[in-house]
Amino acid sequence: MKERLAILLLKLIGWRVVGTKPVLKKYIIIFAPHTSNWDFVMAQMAGFALNISARYFGKESLFRFPYRIFFEFLGGIPIDRSKHNNVVDFAVDLFKQREELVVALAPEGTRSRVERWKSGFYHIAVGAKVPLVLGFFDYDNKEIGI
């Protein structure tokens, strides 16, 4: 049901989903470029359309009442960015604790233009021994996919 609804909503705004769901139990999917707050919404709809239940990390301030329920429902995991927490080790432990897990990340770490991606996604993948799946936003052709 939500797959069809997501495809319909994307179609209504002129976008289409490209690709298929990976046949993997654990992986990290990185979406780029991350240039807008709408990227989250678009990636969520693409995930619904492809039947991918991905988790994501978000700054802890997003998870305050009453929004916490909404963001956790969408797969959010709060991260306290005011302290120097080791997010890589935290994510590696999450993968080790679960039979199945998909984590979606934006490798830029910001919506601003960057010359280089942050490397945390790579270190998580290596530490957890999980593959990377590449997701994309093609604004010119209005396509989102993997």
Side-chain angles (χ1 to χ4, degrees):
M1 173 70 176
K2 69 180 173 182
E3 295 93 354
R4 289 182 181 170
L5 180 60
I7 291 168
L8 175 65
L9 288 173
L10 286 166
K11 193 175 206 174
L12 286 172
I13 60 173
W15 283 72
R16 72 183 193 103
V17 178
V18 177
T20 58
K21 179 181 178 176
V23 185
L24 300 165
K25 290 188 176 195
K26 295 181 183 184
Y27 59 93
I28 295 171
I29 183 167
I30 58 171
F31 269 96
H34 178 36
T35 56
S36 160
N37 285 330
W38 284 103
D39 294 344
F40 172 77
V41 175
M42 300 296 285
Q44 281 288 62
M45 286 199 292
F48 291 153
L50 294 169
N51 197 26
I52 297 172
S53 297
R55 306 293 308 265
Y56 64 92
F57 301 128
K59 58 184 175 183
E60 191 174 47
S61 62
L62 291 174
F63 292 84
R64 294 200 178 115
F65 182 81
Y67 308 109
R68 181 179 200 98
I69 295 166
F70 174 72
F71 284 116
E72 285 181 350
F73 172 76
L74 291 176
I77 300 169
I79 299 292
D80 184 357
R81 297 190 319 185
S82 68
K83 301 174 186 161
H84 288 289
N85 296 322
N86 195 330
V87 177
V88 170
D89 288 342
F90 172 75
V92 168
D93 287 342
L94 281 178
F95 275 103
K96 288 180 180 177
Q97 294 167 10
R98 297 195 163 106
E99 280 285 316
E100 295 184 19
L101 180 62
V102 178
V103 174
L105 299 171
E108 295 101 336
T110 179
R111 290 178 306 277
S112 303
R113 183 174 173 4
V114 296
E115 293 299 318
R116 292 180 179 223
W117 287 354
K118 294 193 173 211
S119 60
F121 72 93
Y122 172 78
H123 294 290
I124 295 168
V126 169
K129 297 180 176 80
V130 298
L132 290 170
V133 172
L134 306 179
F136 66 89
F137 298 102
D138 181 347
Y139 295 99
D140 291 338
N141 295 308
K142 289 195 163 185
E143 293 179 339
I144 183 171
I146 57 177

